[in-house]
């Protein structure tokens, strides 16, 4: 791109609003949510949803708690018309849910739309026409007065047709399409005329929807525009002020949040940001952003994976793995420093305390996720991630110095293979380096006796394949075993000893003991690990594991298939 080429694009000046209030506002309650997944989202798909998929989406939106759902553009296709009729005739609309239908401000399309909703209990009829200078001059070749008359005449027609449908409560919604690219004074003029034509009252409100049909400026400009309308619209107490942000600049979520602060009552958007071009605002992100600030959005995301899979199957568009809150990897840490902080956060988090875990702005369990995939190990990982997986999946709580030692083993492995290491693969590495290290010294069995001076041990071992008996005394079984080894010329010392319970074994139903012994042997310091249902046996196995690791490291590791 050449620098001078940027000068050809139109810029939109800031709104003259010197005493703007939205920068100091705080969102304390959710807006009215309106899902347009079945209309705006659907019309942007490579392959629009068929009736079965649309019904599946509709049911899910109802279950999530949406009370307003834009279900179709019934004058655009027979498919959309038939879907609206099926919802009404098959009585599939819950009593507390209001469907919405969209139509352009044209007489024949309005009549077709009104026919589609006949017999419904309550319907929002959404009229729109573009009013910006570009559309007036380039697309329509119409004056401001003609554009305003188009909107007013359409509203009056809906009013007449609604009188012929007394069984159906018709709510008027009007959108000045391309609002963000329109002179504010003219937007107000058209919206005021619509409100007057509908004869809106506080008991019979009109929805004035201000769409960022194309996102053309920064979010603060949109907030200024919304606050200006909020403060200047006539009959404000008879209006539900609504937002419909698109994401062309990638800031739709920010624009929506600032728009709510600026006085909006309602938000239209799609789950996961579906819609034309870069999509509508993502209602999942906006709603859960509120949730993390202590404001319940009034929508149910307690099984976000099920919601995501339904949307993917109906739209045939995959959710990005890094999509806020819903992506497969958003609660997964690979970085070693992140993993260490998360592990410590989980350790200190109290059940009844405020959520305070580093790098996790929301508790994954609130969204139906478990903690299994929060920490995953690859070449970027450190001791915290390795330790967390070993503890959470296998109950192995390694001493801190051993965490450092084993993470080096894992780092070497991941560098060699260049891929993520799952819990099962990690367990295989752990066993290969610690539990199964039996060369050159092999422990077979032992007898232990208690004396007044302490304990005596007699061990049957093999050194380089040669059977040997080692006997010794000590103040406990570990001390006795060390002395027995020293008595046959094996110089080994124990620096530290820890034991843990791994819970009941699946085979015998007995609690497995895990012993960690840090030994000094042949000038090296290594950790050894022993596992057994008997803690003494586990401790002796750990000593031999450490000695063998000091003497010889396992050969080339084979990646798990």
């Amino acid at each position: 791109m050449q620098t001078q080429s940027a000068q050809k694009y139109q810029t939109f000046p800031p709104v003259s609003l010197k005493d703007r209030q939205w920068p100091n506002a705080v969102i304390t309650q959710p807006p009215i949510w309106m899902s347009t997944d079945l209309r705006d989202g659907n019309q942007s798909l490579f392959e629009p949803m068929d009736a079965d998929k649309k019904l599946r989406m509709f049911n899910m939106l109802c279950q999530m708690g949406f009370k307003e759902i834009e279900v179709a553009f019934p004058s655009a296709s027979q498919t959309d018309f038939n879907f609206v009729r099926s919802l009404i005739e098959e009585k599939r609309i819950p009593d507390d849910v209001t469907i919405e239908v969209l139509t352009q401000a044209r007489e024949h399309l309005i009549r077709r739309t009104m026919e589609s909703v006949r017999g419904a209990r309550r319907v929002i009829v959404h009229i729109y026409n573009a009013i910006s200078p570009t559309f007036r001059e380039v697309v329509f070749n119409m004056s401001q007065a003609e554009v305003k008359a188009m909107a007013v005449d359409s509203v009056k027609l809906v009013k007449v047709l609604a009188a012929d449908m007394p069984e159906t409560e018709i709510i008027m919604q009007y959108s000045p399409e391309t609002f963000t690219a329109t002179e504010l004074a003219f937007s107000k003029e058209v919206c005021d005329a619509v409100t007057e034509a509908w004869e809106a009252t506080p008991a019979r409100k009109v929805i004035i929807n201000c769409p960022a049909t194309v996102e053309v400026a920064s979010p603060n400009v949109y907030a200024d525009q919304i606050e200006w309308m909020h403060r200047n619209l006539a009959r404000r107490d008879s209006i539900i002020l609504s937002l419909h942000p698109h994401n062309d600049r990638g800031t739709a979520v920010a624009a929506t949040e600032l728009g709510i602060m600026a006085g909006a009552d309602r938000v239209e958007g799609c789950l996961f940001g579906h819609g034309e071009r870069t999509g509508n605002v993502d209602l999942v992100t906006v709603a859960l952003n509120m949730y993390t600030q202590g404001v319940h959005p009034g929508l149910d995301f307690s099984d976000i994976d099920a919601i995501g899979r339904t949307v993917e199957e109906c739209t045939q568009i995959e959710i990005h793995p890094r999509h806020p809150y819903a992506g497969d990897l958003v609660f997964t840490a690979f970085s070693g420093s992140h993993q260490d902080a998360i592990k410590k956060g989980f350790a200190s988090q109290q059940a009844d305390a405020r959520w305070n875990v580093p790098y996790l702005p929301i508790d994954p369990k609130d969204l139906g996720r478990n903690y299994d995939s929060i920490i995953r190990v690859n070449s970027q990982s450190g001791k915290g991630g390795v330790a967390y997986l070993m503890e959470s999946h296998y109950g192995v709580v390694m001493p801190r110095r051993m965490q450092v030692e084993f993470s080096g083993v894992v780092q070497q492995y991941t560098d060699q293979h260049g891929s993520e290491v799952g819990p099962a693969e990690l367990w295989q590495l752990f066993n290969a380096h610690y539990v199964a290290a039996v060369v050159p010294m092999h422990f077979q069995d032992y007898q232990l006796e208690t004396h007044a001076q302490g304990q005596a041990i007699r061990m049957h071992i093999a050194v380089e394949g040669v059977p040997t008996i080692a006997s010794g005394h000590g103040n406990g079984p570990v001390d006795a075993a060390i002395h027995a080894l020293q008595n046959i010329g094996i110089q080994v010392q124990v620096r530290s000893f820890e034991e843990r319970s791994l819970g009941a074994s699946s085979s015998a139903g007995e609690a497995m003991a895990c012993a960690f012994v840090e030994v000094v042997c042949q000038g090296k310091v290594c950790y050894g690990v022993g596992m057994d249902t008997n803690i003494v046996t586990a401790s002796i196995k750990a000593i031999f594991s450490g000695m063998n690791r000091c003497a010889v490291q396992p050969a080339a590791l084979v990646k798990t298939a």
Side-chain angles (χ1 to χ4, degrees):
M1 294 185 295
Q2 298 179 350
T3 303
Q4 59 268 29
S5 67
Q7 299 173 359
K8 70 182 181 182
Y9 294 102
Q10 182 179 1
T11 59
F12 293 86
V15 179
S16 179
L17 195 67
K18 295 182 180 179
D19 60 340
R20 58 181 58 83
Q21 300 299 305
W22 63 260
N24 295 319
V26 176
I27 298 175
T28 58
Q29 62 183 23
I32 300 167
W33 303 106
M34 203 290 292
S35 162
T36 186
D37 289 88
L38 297 176
R39 198 278 302 170
D40 205 343
N42 185 57
Q43 72 185 34
S44 67
L45 301 178
F46 292 110
E47 182 180 329
M49 289 179 273
D50 59 22
D52 289 341
K53 288 180 179 177
K54 289 190 77 170
L55 181 59
R56 184 180 174 191
M57 280 282 286
F58 178 77
N59 290 335
M60 183 190 73
L61 292 167
C62 292
Q63 291 166 5
M64 290 177 65
F66 283 95
K67 304 305 180 186
E68 296 183 3
I69 302 172
E70 192 170 51
V71 294
F73 197 149
S75 63
S77 70
Q78 189 64 42
T79 300
D80 270 18
F81 185 95
N82 291 344
F83 181 69
V84 177
R85 295 309 309 156
S86 69
L87 290 178
I88 297 169
E89 293 171 2
E90 297 172 13
K91 302 187 184 304
R92 295 185 178 274
I93 306 169
D95 291 342
D96 61 347
V97 172
T98 302
I99 62 170
E100 177 173 316
V101 289
L102 179 75
T103 177
Q104 291 173 314
R106 297 185 181 277
E107 180 178 350
H108 69 289
L109 300 179
I110 292 171
R111 291 185 180 276
R112 177 70 168 167
T113 300
M114 294 297 286
E115 186 61 31
S116 75
V117 300
R118 186 175 293 276
R121 181 188 58 83
R122 189 169 186 261
V123 178
I124 300 169
V125 176
H126 182 183
I127 301 285
Y128 76 97
N129 66 320
I131 68 171
S132 65
T134 299
F135 274 78
R136 296 195 311 257
E137 299 163 7
V138 176
V139 181
F140 300 143
N141 191 26
M142 297 174 70
S143 66
Q144 286 188 345
E146 289 172 319
V147 168
K148 182 172 75 171
M150 178 186 290
V152 171
D153 291 346
S154 299
V155 170
K156 289 180 177 178
L157 177 58
V158 173
K159 191 175 178 181
V160 170
L161 297 175
D164 189 42
M165 301 166 53
E167 75 283 3
T168 301
E169 179 186 356
I170 299 295
I171 300 168
M172 170 54 59
Q173 173 172 329
Y174 173 70
S175 289
E177 190 187 7
T178 62
F179 162 77
T180 49
T182 302
E183 310 94 330
L184 274 174
F186 184 55
S187 292
K188 167 182 159 54
E189 181 181 338
V190 175
C191 292
D192 284 349
V194 165
T195 304
E196 182 179 358
W198 188 251
E199 298 181 295
T201 67
R204 186 171 176 266
K205 294 186 178 184
V206 64
I207 301 171
I208 296 296
N209 187 51
C210 298
T213 309
V214 177
E215 193 176 31
V216 295
S218 52
N220 61 297
V221 174
Y222 187 56
D224 280 349
Q225 292 171 324
I226 296 301
E227 183 169 333
W228 192 93
M229 293 290 281
H230 169 60
R231 291 161 62 170
N232 289 282
L233 282 171
R235 305 196 196 195
R236 180 63 181 92
D237 62 349
S238 303
I239 292 171
I240 296 172
L241 187 57
S242 179
L243 309 176
H244 184 110
H246 277 256
N247 197 42
D248 299 270
R249 291 169 55 94
T251 58
V253 169
T256 301
E257 292 178 333
L258 298 186
I260 295 171
M261 295 176 191
D265 310 301
R266 181 176 182 268
V267 172
E268 297 189 352
C270 291
L271 301 179
F272 309 112
H274 289 175
E276 299 285 8
R277 302 179 310 282
T278 56
N280 293 266
V281 67
D282 174 17
L283 297 184
V284 175
T285 300
V286 176
L288 290 176
N289 281 356
M290 292 182 189
Y291 185 73
T292 65
Q293 302 303 303
V295 178
H296 198 292
L299 299 174
D300 185 359
F301 294 99
S302 60
D303 192 351
I304 202 165
D305 286 343
I307 294 170
R309 299 299 85 81
T310 298
V311 173
E312 286 181 330
E313 291 165 11
C314 291
T315 64
Q316 300 180 59
I317 296 177
E318 291 186 0
I319 297 169
H320 194 281
R322 297 292 183 187
H323 193 102
Y325 302 108
D328 288 340
L329 294 179
V330 295
F331 298 124
T332 299
F334 289 104
S335 162
S337 61
H338 288 209
Q339 293 173 343
D340 185 61
I342 291 170
K343 180 176 181 290
K344 291 173 180 175
F346 273 128
S348 65
Q349 180 67 38
Q350 300 296 316
D352 56 350
R354 285 187 177 274
W355 182 250
N356 191 31
V357 177
Y359 298 112
L360 294 178
I362 191 171
D363 185 348
K365 284 194 173 179
D366 287 350
L367 305 180
R369 295 274 185 90
N370 56 41
Y371 298 146
D372 289 348
S373 63
I374 288 178
I375 293 177
R376 288 161 61 175
V377 174
N378 64 12
S379 61
Q380 303 299 309
S381 305
K383 67 181 187 302
V386 172
Y388 177 83
L389 287 184
M390 290 298 294
E391 180 177 350
S392 61
H393 286 269
Y394 300 105
V396 176
V397 182
M398 293 182 287
R400 184 170 179 80
R401 288 197 299 275
M402 185 177 173
Q403 293 177 23
V404 176
E405 180 183 292
F406 184 48
S407 68
V409 173
V410 177
Q411 180 78 42
Q412 181 180 6
Y413 178 81
T414 54
D415 284 343
Q416 178 183 350
H417 293 89
S419 61
E420 181 184 347
V421 179
E425 213 166 358
L426 203 61
W427 180 249
Q428 185 190 45
L429 283 171
F430 182 80
N431 274 276
H433 276 267
Y434 295 102
V435 182
V438 296
V439 177
M441 289 168 280
H442 177 53
F443 165 72
Q444 295 172 329
D445 60 32
Y446 71 96
Q447 293 84 42
L448 187 66
E449 296 179 357
T450 300
H451 300 283
Q453 295 82 11
Q455 291 184 309
I457 195 169
R458 177 183 172 89
M459 298 187 295
H460 296 265
I461 64 176
V463 180
E464 300 288 359
V466 178
T468 305
I469 295 176
S471 300
H473 293 78
N475 56 22
V478 172
D479 188 45
I482 293 299
H483 282 100
L485 292 168
Q486 291 173 348
N487 289 338
I488 61 172
I490 299 175
Q491 298 305 310
V492 58
Q493 295 177 332
V494 172
R495 277 194 175 179
S496 64
F497 170 79
E498 295 182 35
E499 61 184 60
R500 306 273 195 276
S501 173
L502 300 184
S505 67
S506 58
S507 58
E510 297 178 87
M512 287 290 290
C514 183
F516 303 94
V517 177
E518 188 179 24
V519 301
V520 180
C521 185
Q522 298 188 9
K524 295 181 181 180
V525 179
C526 291
Y527 265 97
V529 179
M531 296 184 186
D532 198 88
T533 55
N534 182 288
I535 185 57
V536 174
T537 305
S539 302
I540 296 172
K541 287 181 177 180
I543 295 170
F544 278 80
S545 166
M547 290 191 300
N548 283 316
R549 295 194 65 250
C550 287
V552 57
Q553 295 295 327
L557 298 172
V558 180
K559 187 178 179 183
T560 303

